[in-house]
Amino acid sequence: MDTVAYAGQLSTVQSVLYGVPRGSVLGPLLYVLYTAELHQLVERHGVNLHQYADDCQLYLSTPVSDAAAAVNKLSACLTDVNDWLSHSRLRLNASKTHVMWLGSSQLLDKIDIREVPVTSARVTVSDTARDLGVIIDSRLTMADHVAAVCRSCYYQLRQLRSVARSLSAEAVKAVVHAFISSRLDYCNSLLTGVNDGLLRRLQSVQNAAARLVTGTRRCEHITPALRQLHWLPVRQRIQYKLASLAFRALSGLAPDYLAGDCQLVADSGRRSLRSAERRVCTVPRQNSTFGDRSFAAAGPRAWNELPFSLRDTGLLLTTFNAHLKTYLFSTVFEATAHL
């Protein structure tokens, strides 16, 4: 049933026969249930599927020598997916479909396939694609994503400077958190292991935001302003996110696909090891730099770097996060505490 309010009164009641109200939490949930058969269909082709509501990603891993066979497999899978969607009164929009090769520069240079057939259309291979608000490039450098974040944040800062003098200090701080800090923190765990130059660009954004809030001039050092605001620098914010995700995984508060990436040495059957008594995680060996940047490796490493007092999975999440920020804050600013 659906009702609409006008001037304090309710309109006539109308029956809603199909669908759910726009913005309802049932929307994504019901859509996932409605398309649950897609996973079985895709798996029959040997392709993996990740789905977030109506945002779906199909992917498979292949050596360069089998690139053509992988394209044929993906094309056949998309044909069956399109048929299933048509029978389910849904539509595969080829114009919004992106195809991208992921790998190192050396491997990508060996692939000469630039178009992939998608149903009756041919989709040109892209160098970048937006996935849930994150811009992923084919070499996983995250340079395009960092550039987009910096561009968006500087635009917001220019708008805020014109109204900052009309707001109180607390209001300016709240607005900066909403428009700047939220963008810097969104999916920032994906920036693990990226080039230091990219982190410096993001740090420049945070410095500009801190100067706006505190009134610090460009000729003055930014460290006192960050300490005054109790803001962790960008690099430590990434460490904070990784350690917090690792704590969730070890405490049973994370989804299965994250929980399986963090395992204590004591839980792996090797209790005789000294590391088992220190509550450290096993760090799997990776064969590439891409693997070292994955949560399966970066999450356990971030956990193992914490002091022993923090590696206690019996803590409450809020308590752990508070102690974690205090620890990271002290490690960053202890060198300048006596200046």
Side-chain angles (χ1 to χ4, degrees):
M1 309 297 284
D2 194 14
T3 59
V4 182
Y6 294 99
Q9 296 180 351
L10 295 179
S11 66
T12 57
V13 177
Q14 300 291 333
S15 299
V16 178
L17 302 179
Y18 307 102
V20 294
R22 178 177 290 275
S24 169
V25 295
L26 293 177
L29 176 61
L30 293 180
Y31 183 86
V32 170
L33 294 175
Y34 186 69
T35 58
E37 296 179 0
L38 268 180
H39 287 267
Q40 301 175 359
L41 175 64
V42 170
E43 288 176 356
R44 287 201 294 267
H45 289 271
V47 181
N48 298 299
L49 171 65
H50 277 175
Q51 186 177 6
Y52 183 83
D54 61 342
D55 191 351
C56 303
Q57 298 88 36
L58 300 174
Y59 66 94
L60 67 161
S61 177
T62 180
V64 175
S65 57
D66 296 338
V71 169
N72 294 333
K73 180 188 295 186
L74 181 62
S75 180
C77 178
L78 287 173
T79 299
D80 288 350
V81 167
N82 182 61
D83 293 340
W84 186 91
L85 292 175
S86 299
H87 293 147
S88 303
R89 298 182 180 181
L90 298 172
R91 178 171 174 265
L92 175 63
N93 193 343
S95 62
K96 294 185 178 180
T97 300
H98 297 271
V99 178
M100 183 170 58
W101 295 106
L102 295 174
S104 63
S105 301
Q106 294 80 5
L107 294 178
L108 293 178
D109 291 340
K110 299 178 182 178
I111 301 177
D112 56 359
I113 300 175
R114 294 293 177 261
E115 288 187 344
V116 174
V118 178
T119 61
S120 59
R122 298 188 68 84
V123 177
T124 303
V125 175
S126 304
D127 291 328
T128 61
R130 183 181 293 273
D131 187 7
L132 299 179
V134 177
I135 300 177
I136 300 177
D137 59 280
S138 58
R139 290 168 174 79
L140 295 178
T141 63
M142 304 304 293
D144 293 271
H145 177 69
V146 170
V149 171
C150 292
R151 186 166 53 249
S152 175
C153 288
Y154 280 129
Y155 171 80
Q156 297 295 339
L157 286 173
R158 287 193 296 269
Q159 304 303 311
L160 291 176
R161 285 195 184 97
S162 60
V163 299
R165 295 181 179 180
S166 303
L167 301 175
S168 64
E170 288 300 320
V172 173
K173 187 176 179 180
V175 172
V176 167
H177 273 304
F179 289 94
I180 308 301
S181 299
S182 61
R183 285 177 166 84
L184 293 176
D185 291 339
Y186 180 70
C187 292
N188 61 346
S189 59
L190 297 177
L191 301 177
T192 303
V194 301
N195 187 282
D196 288 341
L198 298 179
L199 295 183
R200 285 195 293 268
R201 294 183 61 183
L202 294 174
Q203 187 60 54
S204 297
V205 172
Q206 188 188 49
N207 294 347
R211 295 183 192 279
L212 176 64
V213 175
T214 61
T216 304
R217 294 177 297 178
R218 292 182 62 86
C219 60
E220 298 175 335
H221 204 279
I222 195 59
T223 301
L226 294 177
R227 190 190 303 119
Q228 173 187 341
L229 295 171
H230 210 72
W231 286 2
L232 289 173
V234 171
R235 188 183 299 275
Q236 282 66 37
R237 295 172 93 92
I238 296 174
Q239 295 176 353
Y240 176 91
K241 180 67 71 64
L242 286 174
S244 181
L245 288 175
F247 176 83
R248 293 168 184 261
L250 294 170
S251 303
L253 302 175
D256 292 339
Y257 64 88
L258 287 180
D261 290 335
C262 291
Q263 185 179 18
L264 292 175
V265 173
D267 296 335
S268 61
R270 295 179 290 180
R271 296 182 181 273
S272 59
L273 295 179
R274 183 177 301 176
S275 57
E277 301 176 357
R278 293 187 282 120
R279 298 195 292 266
V280 299
C281 288
T282 57
V283 181
R285 294 182 179 180
Q286 304 295 330
N287 298 324
S288 65
T289 55
F290 294 145
D292 287 335
R293 291 169 52 186
S294 66
F295 179 75
R301 278 201 307 269
W303 174 264
N304 294 345
E305 292 173 358
L306 297 178
F308 181 78
S309 59
L310 277 178
R311 295 197 302 269
D312 183 2
T313 55
L315 296 174
L316 294 176
L317 177 61
T318 54
T319 304
F320 172 81
N321 287 339
H323 292 341
L324 175 61
K325 182 176 181 180
T326 301
Y327 164 72
L328 292 175
F329 192 83
S330 63
T331 58
V332 172
F333 296 109
E334 64 181 3
T336 59
H338 303 290
L339 297 181

